[in-house]
Amino acid sequence: MKKGILISASLVGALFILLLLLPVLFKGKITQLAKDEINNMLTAKVDFGGFDMSFIRNFPHASFRIKDLQVIGTEAFEKDTLFSGKSIDLVINLSSLFSDKGYEITKLALEQPRIFLHTLPDGRSNWDIMKDKEEKEQVADTADMNFNFKLKKFTIEEAALTYRDDEGEMQAEILGFNLSSSGDLAADSSLLKTQLRIASLSFGMEGIEYISKATAEVDADINANLNDFIFTFSKNTSRFNAIAFSLDGSFQLLEPEGFYMDLKLNAPEVDFKSILSLIPSIYSRQFESLTADGKVALSAFVKGKMLGDLYPAFDVNLSVADAWFRYPALPQSVQNIQLALSVSNPGGELDLTKIDLSRFSFLMGNNPFSATARVTQPLSDPDLKLNAKGKLDLGMIKDVYPLEEGSSLNGVFTLDLNLNGRMSYYEKNQFDRFTFAGNMSISDLSLTTSALPQQVIIPRAALSFNNRYADLSALQLRIGKNDMQASGKLENFLAYALRDQTLKGKLILNSNYLNINDFMKEEVLTQDAKQDVDTEEEALSLIEVPKNIDFVLQANFKELLYDNMRFNNAKGVLRVENGEMKFQDMTMQAFGGSLGLKGTYSTADLEKPFVNMDFAITDVFFTEIFKQVETIRKFAPVFEQATGKFSTKLSFNTLLKQDMMPDLNTVSAKGSLATKTVGLKEIPALNELAAQLKKPELSNLLLKNLSLLFFIKDGRLNMQPFDVKAGDFNISLSGSSGLDQSLALQGKIRLPDVLNMGRFSTLPFSIGGTFTRPVVRVDLAETVNAFLDEAKTAVKAEVDKKVGEIKEKADAEIQKQKEAALREYRQQADKLRAEAKALGDKIVEEAQKQSDALVEKAENPIAKKVAELSGKKLVEEARKQADELYRKADEEAIKWEEKMKQL
């Protein structure tokens, strides 16, 4: 008995140990298999942080947990993380681990998955990551190893999904997505029990938010025919915001893709308050306290195939009669709300959709508002019928709707609009078949809200419509301190509004004060992005010029601000077209002088925005322009502390960064600068030059009649050679400076004539290093070497002359008498040696006198240093020449003596 118990216990213990060890034994195989299998199927980069495996957690099945899975795009989507998840849990049939037919997944659970779906303007999508068949066949031989999903339970916990469609200008976000579905997906049929919860659902298109932070719930029992992929709703309840509903019918998955649907919406308990929950602004503000009533009917169905461009038939009908709503804390209600809306399609093409708003009206205070609308063939050739008429006292909105704290709204808005006809009639100018008439006006509007940084005031705005154009007879607008007055005519207005076609027109725009910085987007850094920055920083972003606007603007701005720059009396013509703003003959006062410009600001390619401008600047202050224009401070810091005025002509072009600042590495410019008087002080390079020459007056210079040519290329400001007079000093300078403030300058400085430095009065110098840490070198050796070269040439010429004279005398004596000549020659040779020695001594003596004279004339330390150095080298060279003179005389004497002996 005891022996049997011991044996049984031993077997159980051995089995338990085996179950603990098996995950370790299989871990490497499954890890590699998973990575190989995933990367064999996908073009994206796939990796995960690790995994756990257990044979005990779901015994007799194996449990497999993948941690920190990431799927990251490649090429155009290399910055997109398509999928990431805290963990993925799989329950695997244990026997399938020992089979070559694939791993059977019976349970799948995703914890905190994050999904980002992105479509580019050219239509490419980041989820198109499956490798094609041929590509997969070229990868490893693990392709026949598959994961077979035979799920009995599928869960998603706290998922987040973001969808961005750049092509269609759509965006959607789902937060707090939780799903639990259980059933037997391996059986021919099964009852799937499903629960779905969404904490926040938002959807917007073309800048308009249609759904904002909506909530949704689904509890459904679905009968699944897994042979034919037919799913039929049985018991189910659902909720979208405050609307409770259920679905009757079924949907079927079609091969190879698509659906067949036969579904009907049941909403027997829908009321007017639940309908109001579909309006984002109402549902998001004190919705629970809202009271409402009215007769409501809601019905909908969808039936047919959805396959490619084929759509099922569908119909949605909503009617509201004699409704009202009120917030108990507010004094008034919106009354007599009437609504009849139908959206239908008989099936087939989506262009067969018909939208019919046959009735919409309400009463706010004593002001009625009504509208009707009908649209058919919305995709191919919209047939439009729209009538809207009413008057709204905007000051009453605070009495019927709870505005945000600190917000206010006042003013009167009136509208009378009649539109009837096909878009093709309008586009073909068939105005006899197209009606578009009406007017819109705003008076005494004032708006304050946290969504806007400053108060908006419109004292008056009036716009009238007809078939050909919209006439803006008056617009007065103030935003904070900014003001604008505009008038003009706009053509193609309707096609612009409905089909995004080009809006054409001519406007006259006037402003007393306009600060462009107030209208740039502000991006506040997050705490992570700020890192060690204590205060929030704001970054400007690019102002896009719309491509579908063709305007001529005649502008007049009395005071215009951009970045740190301030302009006054800015006048000119601006042409806006194809995503570019062209400045034509603009003039303004700026930086204490005047400025004229023409050129282009372009965002036609948002990836490569640019500016191309020609400037004519006259009599502006150095201090003002360097204080306001960062680009000039970067390229020419030497003038940052300069005083005085200057004029320049400049051609300038550069790419722009997304904060509208120039990409300084792409700046290309050329121009000229002229100034009658400019003062320079506290320039590090001048301070260093003054110290080396022991001339402190060079530290603070007053330059007159400065004129120079320059060009900017490859991030460097290059200056053509130019001359300036700085007090008693004349300076020549050329070279370049870089964006990194590096210096590469060369020049010469001429010392005053009163120093009596002669040929040593012009000194070459160079300036390297950086603006704040310059390296200055004064090249004394160049001047001394030039002087010595001249001395060497003169000595050599003197030696050659003496030798020639002696040779002539020797030749004459040889002709008289050999013996006498030989004796005479020997005497002459001795005399030649003596004269050579005497001449050499004289050369040395003369050099010493010149050296002493230079030192004696020097009136300051730097001049004395130059004289001592040059005098020393002059004497040394003279001694060398004297020795050379004697050697040559001696060689000549010996050579002729030998020759005489041979005669």
Side-chain angles (χ1 to χ4, degrees):
M1 181 74 176
K2 293 181 178 180
K3 184 177 181 180
I5 294 174
L6 289 173
I7 293 174
S8 300
S10 299
L11 291 175
V12 172
L15 179 60
F16 184 77
I17 293 172
L18 179 62
L19 293 176
L20 290 175
L21 291 176
L22 279 175
V24 178
L25 297 175
F26 280 93
K27 185 174 182 178
K29 177 183 177 183
I30 295 180
T31 299
Q32 191 58 48
L33 177 64
K35 289 187 176 182
D36 289 346
E37 190 68 18
I38 294 172
N39 284 291
N40 181 38
M41 294 187 294
L42 308 179
T43 59
K45 299 176 183 178
V46 181
D47 201 1
F48 50 86
F51 78 96
D52 292 330
M53 185 175 179
S54 171
F55 288 114
I56 298 177
R57 189 182 306 139
N58 289 279
F59 186 80
H61 296 298
S63 298
F64 186 76
R65 173 175 291 172
I66 302 174
K67 299 179 181 178
D68 300 323
L69 176 66
Q70 284 192 329
V71 181
I72 300 174
T74 57
E75 297 179 353
F77 300 104
E78 62 182 358
K79 295 182 179 180
D80 288 358
T81 299
L82 173 62
F83 179 91
S84 66
K86 183 177 180 180
S87 67
I88 300 177
D89 287 289
L90 303 94
V91 176
I92 305 174
N93 186 327
L94 187 59
S95 63
S96 68
L97 292 176
F98 304 94
S99 170
D100 292 335
K101 296 182 179 180
Y103 296 95
E104 295 182 2
I105 310 297
T106 62
K107 179 181 177 182
L108 176 61
L110 282 68
E111 183 179 3
Q112 296 182 11
R114 301 289 182 263
I115 301 171
F116 177 56
L117 305 178
H118 185 194
T119 297
L120 296 177
D122 59 12
R124 289 180 294 166
S125 300
N126 69 343
W127 63 85
D128 186 13
I129 59 175
M130 298 297 296
K131 290 182 178 178
D132 57 39
K133 184 176 180 181
E134 293 182 0
E135 188 176 359
K136 285 195 291 184
E137 289 175 351
Q138 295 174 2
V139 188
D141 58 3
T142 58
D144 59 346
M145 300 296 291
N146 298 307
F147 291 100
N148 301 322
F149 289 93
K150 297 185 177 181
L151 295 176
K152 290 183 171 58
K153 189 168 185 180
F154 174 55
T155 63
I156 299 176
E157 180 181 343
E158 289 299 317
L161 184 146
T162 302
Y163 171 70
R164 192 174 83 204
D165 184 349
D166 297 340
E167 182 181 21
E169 297 185 52
M170 291 186 293
Q171 58 281 329
E173 181 183 61
I174 299 176
L175 302 176
F177 182 96
N178 291 274
L179 173 68
S180 176
S181 182
S182 61
D184 189 356
L185 293 178
D188 292 340
S189 62
S190 178
L191 180 65
L192 301 180
K193 291 184 174 294
T194 302
Q195 288 186 331
L196 170 67
R197 301 288 184 270
I198 295 176
S200 176
L201 169 64
S202 300
F203 172 77
M205 183 169 61
E206 295 184 346
I208 301 175
E209 193 170 31
Y210 293 96
I211 302 175
S212 177
K213 299 179 181 179
T215 61
E217 295 181 0
V218 175
D219 291 285
D221 290 348
I222 303 174
N223 292 311
N225 178 345
L226 299 176
N227 287 327
D228 298 323
F229 295 102
I230 299 175
F231 301 88
T232 304
F233 286 94
S234 55
K235 178 182 177 182
N236 68 93
T237 59
S238 301
R239 180 184 61 80
F240 184 81
N241 281 356
I243 298 179
F245 64 93
S246 63
L247 294 174
D248 286 339
S250 64
F251 70 93
Q252 179 181 7
L253 298 177
L254 301 178
E255 292 290 345
E257 60 182 10
F259 304 91
Y260 177 83
M261 293 176 283
D262 186 0
L263 298 172
K264 180 181 178 182
L265 176 75
N266 297 312
E269 298 180 1
V270 67
D271 57 20
F272 185 59
K273 181 176 180 178
S274 62
I275 295 298
L276 290 175
S277 73
L278 297 176
I279 303 174
S281 59
I282 292 181
Y283 187 68
S284 63
R285 302 218 25 102
Q286 304 179 23
F287 182 75
E288 294 300 325
S289 67
L290 180 72
T291 58
D293 198 8
K295 298 177 183 179
V296 178
L298 174 64
S299 64
F301 78 84
V302 56
K303 185 174 183 178
K305 291 182 179 180
M306 186 170 183
L307 185 63
D309 294 331
L310 182 66
Y311 286 81
F314 58 85
D315 185 84
V316 179
N317 287 281
L318 173 63
S319 67
V320 176
D322 303 325
W324 59 270
F325 73 86
R326 179 179 178 179
Y327 289 88
L330 299 179
Q332 296 196 44
S333 61
V334 177
Q335 295 285 338
N336 197 24
I337 302 172
Q338 312 291 333
L339 174 68
L341 173 65
S342 171
V343 181
S344 62
N345 187 302
E349 298 178 4
L350 194 60
D351 195 38
L352 297 176
T353 300
K354 179 174 70 175
I355 303 170
D356 188 4
L357 179 65
S358 58
R359 183 175 71 250
F360 175 60
S361 63
F362 63 87
L363 184 67
M364 189 169 68
N366 295 320
N367 297 316
F369 185 91
S370 63
T372 60
R374 189 174 186 273
V375 181
T376 59
Q377 293 182 255
L379 301 181
S380 60
D381 184 13
D383 189 357
L384 308 170
K385 185 174 183 179
L386 172 63
N387 290 278
K389 186 173 183 179
K391 178 180 180 180
L392 296 178
D393 183 352
L394 302 179
M396 288 191 60
I397 291 180
K398 66 179 183 301
D399 295 332
V400 299
Y401 178 76
L403 300 176
E404 293 182 357
E405 184 177 354
S407 297
S408 65
L409 177 61
N410 288 286
V412 177
F413 170 78
T414 60
L415 175 67
D416 187 355
L417 175 62
N418 181 23
L419 170 64
N420 190 0
R422 290 186 175 275
M423 278 299 301
S424 59
Y425 300 158
Y426 180 85
E427 292 167 354
K428 295 176 182 178
N429 296 327
Q430 297 175 346
F431 297 126
D432 57 328
R433 307 177 66 182
F434 191 92
T435 300
F436 180 42
N439 58 76
M440 179 181 71
S441 68
I442 297 174
S443 61
D444 299 323
L445 182 143
S446 65
L447 172 62
T448 302
T449 174
S450 60
L452 298 172
Q454 303 182 64
Q455 184 184 35
V456 176
I457 297 176
I458 302 179
R460 181 169 178 258
L463 184 68
S464 59
F465 316 97
N466 61 41
N467 286 354
R468 292 173 174 79
Y469 55 81
D471 187 359
L472 180 64
S473 58
L475 172 62
Q476 299 172 3
L477 172 66
R478 294 201 305 270
I479 303 177
K481 292 177 59 179
N482 302 281
D483 71 276
M484 283 184 285
Q485 301 84 44
S487 62
K489 290 185 178 181
L490 308 176
E491 300 177 8
N492 212 35
F493 179 83
L494 191 62
Y496 169 77
L498 298 179
R499 286 228 172 156
D500 206 25
Q501 293 186 8
T502 300
L503 177 65
K504 299 181 179 181
K506 183 175 182 179
L507 292 178
I508 299 174
L509 181 63
N510 297 293
S511 173
N512 294 308
Y513 176 91
L514 182 62
N515 188 345
I516 297 176
N517 301 313
D518 292 342
F519 302 96
M520 294 183 179
K521 299 176 184 177
E522 296 178 352
E523 299 175 357
V524 180
L525 298 178
T526 63
Q527 192 62 40
D528 291 339
K530 287 190 292 182
Q531 296 179 351
D532 297 331
V533 179
D534 294 331
T535 59
E536 291 183 348
E537 297 181 12
E538 297 178 354
L540 303 178
S541 62
L542 195 70
I543 298 177
E544 181 180 355
V545 179
K547 293 183 180 179
N548 58 347
I549 287 182
D550 186 353
F551 274 176
V552 175
L553 280 77
Q554 183 176 330
N556 184 351
F557 303 97
K558 289 187 177 179
E559 188 172 5
L560 179 66
L561 284 79
Y562 167 62
D563 196 23
N564 293 321
M565 295 179 285
R566 184 182 299 271
F567 308 98
N568 295 306
N569 297 320
K571 301 178 181 179
V573 176
L574 286 77
R575 180 68 185 262
V576 180
E577 61 177 339
N578 300 323
E580 295 184 342
M581 181 180 292
K582 297 180 180 180
F583 300 85
Q584 301 175 357
D585 300 323
M586 293 287 295
T587 61
M588 62 194 73
Q589 278 78 53
F591 318 121
S594 63
L595 172 65
L597 68 89
K598 60 181 180 179
T600 301
Y601 164 71
S602 174
T603 61
D605 183 351
L606 286 174
E607 298 298 321
K608 294 181 178 180
F610 70 86
V611 165
N612 188 352
M613 295 286 184
D614 289 328
F615 296 91
I617 302 173
T618 306
D619 289 336
V620 300
F621 286 103
F622 280 103
T623 51
E624 289 298 315
I625 197 167
F626 276 85
K627 180 171 62 177
Q628 298 180 39
V629 185
E630 180 182 0
T631 303
I632 297 181
R633 290 201 304 271
K634 292 281 189 181
F635 276 110
V638 66
F639 291 118
E640 187 168 359
Q641 299 297 326
T643 58
K645 289 186 173 184
F646 73 96
S647 300
T648 185
K649 290 185 177 180
L650 173 66
S651 295
F652 177 89
N653 64 78
T654 179
L655 293 178
L656 297 175
K657 296 186 291 187
Q658 292 302 310
D659 61 358
M660 284 201 69
M661 292 296 103
D663 181 349
L664 296 177
N665 291 317
T666 68
V667 171
S668 177
K670 63 179 179 179
S672 61
L673 182 145
T675 175
K676 295 180 179 178
T677 304
V678 57
L680 299 177
K681 62 180 180 179
E682 300 304 323
I683 307 299
L686 287 180
N687 293 340
E688 179 64 21
L689 182 61
Q692 289 200 26
L693 295 177
K694 293 185 171 51
K695 286 292 180 181
E697 59 267 34
L698 289 175
S699 295
N700 297 312
L701 296 180
L702 183 64
L703 308 182
K704 294 184 177 182
N705 299 319
L706 173 64
S707 178
L708 64 91
L709 300 175
F710 63 88
F711 67 93
I712 298 174
K713 187 176 181 181
D714 299 328
R716 297 195 70 82
L717 172 66
N718 299 270
M719 295 173 287
Q720 301 290 341
F722 65 97
D723 298 324
V724 294
K725 185 173 179 59
D728 295 330
F729 297 85
N730 293 304
I731 301 175
S732 299
L733 190 64
S734 64
S736 68
S737 61
L739 284 172
D740 55 359
Q741 295 200 342
S742 62
L743 301 175
L745 304 173
Q746 309 83 38
K748 293 183 178 181
I749 182 168
R750 179 175 176 80
L751 302 178
D753 293 337
V754 296
L755 297 180
N756 293 321
M757 294 299 296
R759 67 177 68 250
F760 296 101
S761 62
T762 300
L763 302 176
F765 66 90
S766 63
I767 304 175
T770 65
F771 179 76
T772 55
R773 293 186 177 180
V775 178
V776 178
R777 293 187 175 89
V778 178
D779 195 354
L780 299 175
E782 179 179 333
T783 302
V784 171
N785 289 336
F787 178 80
L788 292 178
D789 286 342
E790 293 179 7
K792 288 164 63 177
T793 301
V795 170
K796 184 177 183 299
E798 186 69 22
V799 170
D800 291 342
K801 179 180 178 182
K802 290 293 183 182
V803 171
E805 291 175 353
I806 294 172
K807 287 175 61 178
E808 289 178 3
K809 290 180 180 181
D811 289 340
E813 291 298 325
I814 291 172
Q815 295 300 322
K816 293 179 180 179
Q817 191 175 4
K818 288 184 178 180
E819 288 295 333
L822 180 57
R823 288 192 301 269
E824 182 66 21
Y825 179 77
R826 286 173 177 169
Q827 293 176 2
Q828 291 297 327
D830 292 339
K831 184 178 180 182
L832 175 61
R833 291 185 180 98
E835 288 180 353
K837 185 175 185 306
L839 181 58
D841 292 341
K842 185 177 181 181
I843 291 173
V844 173
E845 181 181 357
E846 185 63 28
Q848 187 64 53
K849 287 181 180 179
Q850 291 185 26
S851 175
D852 294 341
L854 285 174
V855 174
E856 184 177 353
K857 289 179 181 180
E859 296 180 1
N860 59 70
I862 185 62
K864 186 174 182 179
K865 182 178 179 181
V866 172
E868 289 175 350
L869 178 59
S870 59
K872 182 179 178 181
K873 289 194 174 186
L874 183 61
V875 172
E876 291 175 354
E877 186 63 26
R879 287 198 178 100
K880 292 180 182 179
Q881 295 298 328
D883 293 341
E884 179 69 12
L885 177 62
Y886 184 83
R887 185 185 64 78
K888 285 190 174 184
D890 185 58
E891 286 181 355
E892 195 68 26
I894 294 173
K895 181 173 65 174
W896 281 99
E897 184 176 1
E898 292 296 325
K899 189 174 182 180
M900 292 293 293
K901 289 178 180 179
Q902 294 174 5
L903 292 176

